[in-house]
C-alpha cells in the first residue's frame, strides 16, 4: 500500500517540539567565572516573539548549552525546580524539566560482566531484551535502572520525567507539542499500552480546552483542531511503522483505528488504516478502509491506486479495471500511470 501523500500535504501540521531545548548535545565546558546557579535571575515569560527568538537566553542570560556546560546535574535540577516554583504557570518550565530528566535517564552502556562501575546485570529479565540492573552494594532485586539495546535507563529519572509530563499536560492541555512529546516518550520506551491510553484522551483534551492552542516558544497555533489532531496521529503512526517490530505494528493498527474515530472525515486516517490492516494481513479490512477513504477523496490518485490493488487482490476484477482505467485517464503521477497500464495489460493477458 502507498501513503496518501497528496492528502497529507493538506493536513500535515508541523510543530517545533520544545525537546530541542534540552535534547541537544552539551556544549564544551566554558572557561572563566560563572555565577552561582541560585544567582541566575528568574525573568518573566516572553511572548509574542518570532518562533526562532532565543527566549531562554533572553530570560536567563545564557543558553541551555551554556547552562549544561557550566553546572552539574544537581545544580540544573535545582535551577529547574526553582523555575517551576517561580513560574508554576509557565509550560516551558515543565516541558524543559521533563525533557531534561528524559535525556539524563539515558546512559549508553556496553553489555559485559561489569557494564558500569557500581552496576551489574542481574539474571532477572524484565522484558524480551531488557535485563535488570542493580547497584553492586544493593540487596537482591534492588534494581536502580534497566537496560534496553545497550542503553541504561535510570528509573528515578524516568519516573520523574513521566510525572512532569503528566502534571504538565494537566496544567497545559493547550500545548500541542506536549501531547506529541508524551507520545514519543512512550514510543521510545516501548510503553505501547500507555501510548494508546494517551492517544485516546488526546483529541478530547485538545478540543475541550478553552485556552488558545500553543506550541514551543509560546507560539500560537492557527490550524483547526481536527487538522492538529490528525497531524499528531499521523506522525505517531510513522514512528511506529519505522520501528517495524511486532508490538509496534499491532500498536500501529490500534492507533490508526483511534485516528479514524477521532477524525472520521479525514481521508489520511482511513489510508493509515488501509496500511495497518494490510501489514496485519487483513486485506478485506484494508479494502473496507480504502473504500471509506475513496468516499472522502474520490479523486486522490493514491487512494484510487490502493483501492485498485486491493480489488484485484480480492478477485474483484471489474472494480480493479474501473479504478485502473480512472488512473490512466486522470493520474498526474507517471509512476502510477505506468503501474495502472501494466496492471490492465496483465489482466488482459490473464483473461485470454
Amino acid at each position: 500500500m502507498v501513503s496518501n501523500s497528496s492528502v497529507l500535504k493538506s493536513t500535515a501540521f508541523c510543530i517545533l517540539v520544545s525537546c530541542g531545548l534540552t535534547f541537544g548535545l552539551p556544549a564544551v565546558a566554558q572557561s572563566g567565572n560563572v555565577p552561582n546557579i541560585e544567582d541566575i535571575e528568574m525573568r518573566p515569560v516572553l511572548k509574542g516573539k518570532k518562533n526562532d527568538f532565543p527566549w531562554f537566553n533572553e530570560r536567563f542570560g545564557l543558553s541551555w548549552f551554556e547552562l549544561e556546560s557550566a553546572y552539574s546535574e544537581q545544580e540544573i535540577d535545582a535551577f529547574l525546580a526553582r523555575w517551576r516554583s517561580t513560574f508554576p504557570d509557565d509550560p516551558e518550565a515543565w516541558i524543559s524539566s521533563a525533557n531534561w530528566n528524559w535525556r539524563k535517564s539515558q546512559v549508553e552502556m556496553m553489555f559485559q560482566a561489569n557494564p558500569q562501575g557500581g552496576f551489574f546485570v542481574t539474571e532477572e529479565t524484565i522484558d524480551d531484551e531488557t535485563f535488570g540492573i542493580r547497584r553492586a552494594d544493593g540487596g537482591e532485586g534492588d534494581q536502580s535502572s534497566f537496560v534496553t539495546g545497550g542503553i541504561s535507563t535510570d528509573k528515578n529519572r524516568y519516573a520523574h520525567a513521566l510525572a512532569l509530563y503528566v502534571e504538565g499536560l494537566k496544567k497545559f492541555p493547550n500545548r500541542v507539542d506536549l501531547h506529541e512529546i508524551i507520545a514519543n516518550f512512550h514510543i521510545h520506551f516501548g510503553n505501547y499500552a500507555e501510548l494508546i491510553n494517551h492517544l485516546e484522551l488526546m483529541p478530547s483534551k485538545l478540543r475541550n480546552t478553552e485556552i488558545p492552542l500553543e506550541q514551543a516558544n509560546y507560539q500560537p497555533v492557527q490550524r483547526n483542531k481536527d487538522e492538529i489532531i490528525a497531524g499528531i496521529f499521523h506522525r505517531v503512526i510513522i514512528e511506529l511503522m519505522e520501528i517495524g517490530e511486532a508490538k509496534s505494528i499491532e500498536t500501529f493498527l490500534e492507533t490508526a483505528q483511534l485516528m479514524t474515530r477521532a477524525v472520521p472525515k479525514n481521508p489520511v486516517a482511513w489510508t493509515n488504516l488501509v496500511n495497518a490492516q494490510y501489514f496485519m494481513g487483513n486485506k478485506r479490512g484494508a479494502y473496507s478502509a480504502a473504500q471509506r477513504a475513496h468516499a472522502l477523496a474520490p479523486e486522490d490518485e493514491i487512494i484510487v491506486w490502493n483501492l485498485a490493488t486491493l480489488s484485484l487482490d480480492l478477485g474483484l476484477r471489474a472494480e480493479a479495471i474501473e479504478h485502473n482505467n480512472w488512473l490512466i485517464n486522470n493520474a498526474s503521477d507517471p509512476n502510477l500511470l505506468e503501474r495502472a497500464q501494466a496492471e490492465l495489460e496483465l489482466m488482459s493477458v490473464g483473461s485470454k
Side-chain angles (χ1 to χ4, degrees):
M1 293 299 97
V2 183
S3 298
N4 192 347
S5 56
S6 58
V7 176
L8 175 60
K9 290 178 183 176
S10 66
T11 57
F13 170 66
C14 182
I15 64 173
L16 295 175
V17 178
S18 60
C19 54
L21 172 66
T22 50
F23 272 72
L25 294 174
V28 178
Q30 290 179 301
S31 59
N33 296 325
V34 294
N36 292 328
I37 194 81
E38 60 268 18
D39 293 332
I40 296 178
E41 183 181 352
M42 289 286 157
R43 298 167 183 163
V45 171
L46 292 168
K47 288 193 175 184
K49 304 292 183 179
K50 292 183 178 179
N51 196 47
D52 59 354
F53 181 76
W55 61 268
F56 188 87
N57 197 330
E58 190 75 12
R59 285 182 67 181
F60 301 115
L62 75 172
S63 69
W64 177 271
F65 301 111
E66 291 168 338
L67 179 81
E68 190 170 340
S69 300
Y71 300 100
S72 68
E73 285 188 31
Q74 293 72 24
E75 287 174 317
I76 295 173
D77 287 338
F79 165 80
L80 292 169
R82 184 160 62 94
W83 184 6
R84 296 194 305 275
S85 64
T86 305
F87 296 105
D89 294 325
D90 180 2
E92 295 293 351
W94 296 83
I95 295 172
S96 296
S97 298
N99 289 343
W100 161 254
N101 277 277
W102 177 2
R103 184 163 68 81
K104 298 310 292 184
S105 75
Q106 303 295 276
V107 180
E108 188 172 353
M109 299 179 68
M110 298 293 292
F111 282 108
Q112 52 192 19
N114 185 20
Q116 183 172 305
F119 292 85
F120 65 90
V121 179
T122 69
E123 294 181 357
E124 183 179 357
T125 299
I126 298 174
D127 204 343
D128 294 344
E129 297 180 359
T130 306
F131 300 93
I133 289 282
R134 66 177 175 84
R135 294 188 183 277
D137 57 357
E140 289 295 327
D142 179 19
Q143 294 176 352
S144 59
S145 61
F146 53 92
V147 174
T148 305
I151 301 294
S152 167
T153 298
D154 183 278
K155 282 187 172 181
N156 291 330
R157 287 284 188 189
Y158 167 88
H160 194 34
L162 181 57
L164 288 166
Y165 283 135
V166 170
E167 183 64 21
L169 193 58
K170 287 180 182 177
K171 294 169 69 68
F172 315 110
N174 65 313
R175 276 297 291 253
V176 175
D177 55 333
L178 182 54
H179 288 272
E180 190 162 349
I181 292 170
I182 293 173
N184 287 328
F185 179 85
H186 290 314
I187 291 172
H188 178 83
F189 290 104
N191 300 333
Y192 295 129
E194 289 86 348
L195 171 65
I196 293 300
N197 290 337
H198 171 66
L199 292 175
E200 283 180 330
L201 299 173
M202 178 265 293
S204 62
K205 286 181 178 179
L206 284 171
R207 287 188 176 117
N208 294 337
T209 183
E210 296 180 358
I211 312 169
L213 299 187
E214 289 184 346
Q215 59 179 348
N217 195 8
Y218 316 104
Q219 294 295 302
V221 177
Q222 305 298 341
R223 305 295 294 274
N224 73 60
K225 291 184 177 181
D226 277 0
E227 289 178 341
I228 293 166
I229 290 164
I232 293 173
F233 269 114
H234 188 75
R235 286 186 292 277
V236 167
I237 283 170
I238 290 173
E239 290 293 323
L240 293 168
M241 288 179 65
E242 288 181 350
I243 293 171
E245 299 171 350
K247 289 182 181 179
S248 73
I249 295 300
E250 290 175 10
T251 308
F252 165 26
L253 175 59
E254 290 183 76
T255 304
Q257 290 168 332
L258 283 178
M259 185 178 180
T260 60
R261 293 198 288 271
V263 284
K265 294 182 180 180
N266 190 311
V268 174
W270 293 100
T271 299
N272 282 330
L273 186 57
V274 170
N275 288 318
Q277 295 283 21
Y278 196 83
F279 267 114
M280 298 298 290
N282 183 359
K283 292 183 180 180
R284 177 62 63 178
Y287 172 76
S288 296
Q291 286 182 309
R292 294 292 298 269
H294 188 248
L296 292 166
E299 296 188 358
D300 185 290
E301 52 201 60
I302 297 297
I303 290 175
V304 176
W305 169 254
N306 285 341
L307 198 51
T309 302
L310 288 163
S311 298
L312 189 59
D313 285 349
L314 294 171
L316 304 173
R317 181 184 176 83
E319 187 173 341
I321 291 172
E322 177 187 350
H323 293 310
N324 279 299
N325 277 325
W326 184 94
L327 288 167
I328 288 171
N329 293 322
N330 297 281
S332 60
D333 185 339
N335 292 323
L336 287 180
L337 178 60
E338 185 178 339
R339 288 183 183 184
Q341 291 171 332
E343 286 293 337
L344 285 177
E345 288 175 8
L346 284 172
M347 283 189 279
S348 175
V349 170
S351 63
K352 293 179 180 178

